[in-house]
Amino acid sequence: MWYAILGIDNNDSLAARRKARPEHLARLEALRDAGRLRLAGPLPAIDAEDPGPAGFVGSLIVAEFDSLASARAWADQDPYLAVGVYARVEVWPFRHVLP
C-alpha cells in the first residue's frame, strides 16, 4: 500500500537540511530503485522553486510499504529527523487515484 510521509521542519533548519541531504536522498533513491517511490520533494517556505535562505517548511514523500508500521519505522530512521531538521513526521495511508 502507498503511504504519505510528511516531515515538518524545525525553524532555521536549512543548514542541517543541507548537511544531511546526501544521506536523506540515498534512502529515497533506494526506494525509487526498488520501484516503491511515487514522489518526494521539499516544501519551500516561500512561493518559489528555489527559496534561497527562506528554506523549507518540510518534505512530502509518497512511497509503498507493507504496512503503516513499516512506513512509520522507515520514516523514523530518516536522517533529517536524526539531525533535527524535522520537528515531527506524520505518516498516513495514501490512496493513489490520479493521474
Side-chain angles (χ1 to χ4, degrees), residues 68-81:
L68 181 59
S70 62
R72 166 51 68 190
W74 185 90
D76 286 345
Q77 297 301 311
D78 195 300
Y80 281 178
L81 189 59

Side-chain angles (χ1 to χ4, degrees), residues 12-25:
D12 301 318
S13 62
L14 187 56
R17 181 181 270 274
R18 286 180 176 149
K19 184 176 180 182
R21 188 169 190 260
E23 190 178 353
H24 172 79
L25 287 179

Side-chain angles (χ1 to χ4, degrees), residues 47-84:
D47 189 13
E49 180 128 349
D50 180 359
F56 301 92
V57 297
S59 302
L60 174 64
I61 299 164
V62 177
E64 186 177 32
F65 293 92
D66 293 333
S67 66
L68 181 59
S70 62
R72 166 51 68 190
W74 185 90
D76 286 345
Q77 297 301 311
D78 195 300
Y80 281 178
L81 189 59
V83 301

Side-chain angles (χ1 to χ4, degrees), residues 7 12 28-29 37 68 91:
D12 301 318
L28 292 170
E29 290 165 351
L37 184 65
L68 181 59
V91 181

